[in-house]
Amino acid sequence: SSSPPPRGPRAVGASPTANMQSLGRLPEFPERQLGYQVEHFALHKVVGEGAWGKVCLASPRFDLPGVGAGRGYCAIKMMKRADLDEHEMTERARTEREIMEGLPAHPFVIRLYAAFEDAERLYFAMEYCLGGDLFYHLDLRKSFPEPTVRFYCAQLALALGHLHAHGVCYRDLKTENLMLDARGYLKVIDFGLSKPGVHSATAGAKTVCGTPSYLAPETLMRKGYGHAADWWALGILAFELRVGLPPWHEEADDKRRLFRHICLEPVKLPLEVDVSLTFRTFLAAILKKNPAQRLGARGAAEVQAHKLFAGVPWDRLRAAALPAPITPKLDPLDLTCNFPEEFTRIPVRSEDRVSTPGGSMVLNGEVVENMFRDKLANLQESRRNSEVFKSDNSLLKSTFGLSFQDSDRAPSPPPPTRQSTTTGHGGGGGGAEADAAA
């Protein structure tokens, strides 16, 4: 059975102020060679579940060198090795770990503390963000006012700029992959679909992957794509945060119609939603169908220079010195109070389960982590569940009349033998061998 979260001043700080400063921060891990095992941590509650396993709130159980006992918290993502192997996701998990280990620290990108494994599972120990994900807060409020949208988009402009500067195309921006820390600032999580080695706005990746509502036109048209696809996703996210639903949400059940709209139809704001002219021009610029003409195609600085962000004190934003529009609840007796009960009531030791229909996916015969969550009933339907399946080419072929034989994976030589690997926080994606061959 799971142990209850540590209580009292020793675990969470002697005062609310100390608590706010320390929650979600785990002291620096010692060198990975020390050989962490899951037994070194107390697993308190489940805070997330996906196709390959679950994520738990955890704390060091023993007095580990450089860590101590009960001195901090982390999120441990646990992925079942058999499921990863069965669905050909082990290489994607390895790529996720390599990306997280290789990225320099950034205030708006989640930190990986350690990656380890045992005979049954792969584990990532990461920063714990006690504020929950942005989907949870959007669900509570239905939509955000424009200043709040600007606050979050400004952070994402910096985070995406950081990823792109280090050759990473993120490929799965959505509210579920954005966590709030104790101060109410964003952290980008889940690099399972990310692709390293991309240094262009319009080229470097081919695989159709991500969450359907956020896919860029060039991704669907199989012309090759690059960092501009992430800026398109930021535009879709900005629309969703302001309106409460993504564009063409009524087509969520019919992916053929949804994909046609993405590629051929303009994005239209609902008449009843009050937005400024500046916000409209931002959406028009960042949602251009042509990636070479899209806002951000010339780099993150171009996005930051848009009038929507006029007056943003970027240095203070990076330092988290601005008041956040949403301050997460802080309960020293319940460090998971900002996570939905559908997760927190799952027993920590319950058998990992592969859940059903969901949203992040890889098309063209690739394995799909489909976490597509229907939002048709004012965000009441949860999109958090996942389905793992293989897709044939018929969906995109019948939608656009095109042939889709290429992907990030090299077509000619047989795939190399997959090796077991150590993985981390967030969800499967981004295959190392496939992307390296592209």
Side-chain angles (χ1 to χ4, degrees), residues 112-133:
L112 175 67
Y113 292 129
F116 48 95
E117 62 186 281
D118 57 28
E120 293 187 358
R121 290 174 176 81
L122 311 177
Y123 303 90
F124 290 171
M126 300 168 291
E127 238 179 314
Y128 179 61
C129 295
L130 62 79
D133 65 31

Side-chain angles (χ1 to χ4, degrees), residues 312-370:
V312 171
W314 295 101
D315 289 340
R316 294 187 64 207
L317 183 70
R318 287 187 186 90
L322 302 176
I326 296 175
T327 304
K329 293 178 290 184
L330 294 174
D331 182 353
L333 299 182
D334 183 7
L335 305 186
T336 62
C337 61
N338 295 299
F339 292 83
E341 286 188 1
E342 67 184 272
F343 294 147
T344 59
R345 63 187 175 202
I346 298 172
V348 170
R349 299 297 181 184
S350 65
E351 182 64 19
D352 296 329
R353 52 185 177 158
V354 176
S355 33
T356 53
S360 300
M361 66 179 196
V362 183
L363 294 178
N364 186 39
E366 296 280 335
V367 175
V368 177
E369 182 196 359
N370 181 7

Side-chain angles (χ1 to χ4, degrees), residues 2 239 353:
S2 62
F239 181 107
R353 52 185 177 158

Side-chain angles (χ1 to χ4, degrees), residues 3 36 62 72 92 109 129 247 294 325 353:
S3 57
Y36 285 102
F62 305 112
R92 294 186 179 275
V109 175
C129 295
R294 189 174 301 151
R353 52 185 177 158

Side-chain angles (χ1 to χ4, degrees), residues 101-222:
E101 288 182 332
L103 279 172
H106 189 274
F108 307 135
V109 175
I110 201 74
R111 291 178 60 202
L112 175 67
Y113 292 129
F116 48 95
E117 62 186 281
D118 57 28
E120 293 187 358
R121 290 174 176 81
L122 311 177
Y123 303 90
F124 290 171
M126 300 168 291
E127 238 179 314
Y128 179 61
C129 295
L130 62 79
D133 65 31
L134 200 56
F135 177 87
Y136 172 79
H137 294 283
L138 181 60
D139 190 20
L140 291 177
R141 294 162 178 81
K142 306 310 175 190
S143 66
F144 294 147
E146 198 170 301
T148 300
V149 178
R150 179 175 63 178
F151 178 79
Y152 293 135
C153 287
Q155 293 170 65
L156 291 173
L158 295 176
L160 290 176
H162 177 72
L163 298 180
H164 295 171
H166 292 88
V168 175
C169 188
Y170 180 55
R171 304 206 291 192
D172 202 17
L173 188 65
K174 57 182 175 181
T175 53
E176 298 90 329
N177 284 345
L178 301 171
M179 306 295 294
L180 293 187
D181 65 14
R183 303 162 298 182
Y185 277 72
L186 290 180
K187 298 277 187 179
V188 176
I189 68 166
D190 196 345
F191 293 87
L193 292 182
S194 299
K195 176 173 170 58
V198 178
H199 301 282
S200 167
T202 58
K206 296 177 182 178
T207 297
V208 181
C209 64
T211 299
S213 293
Y214 293 82
L215 293 176
E218 65 272 20
T219 303
L220 291 168
M221 295 300 289
R222 304 294 305 185

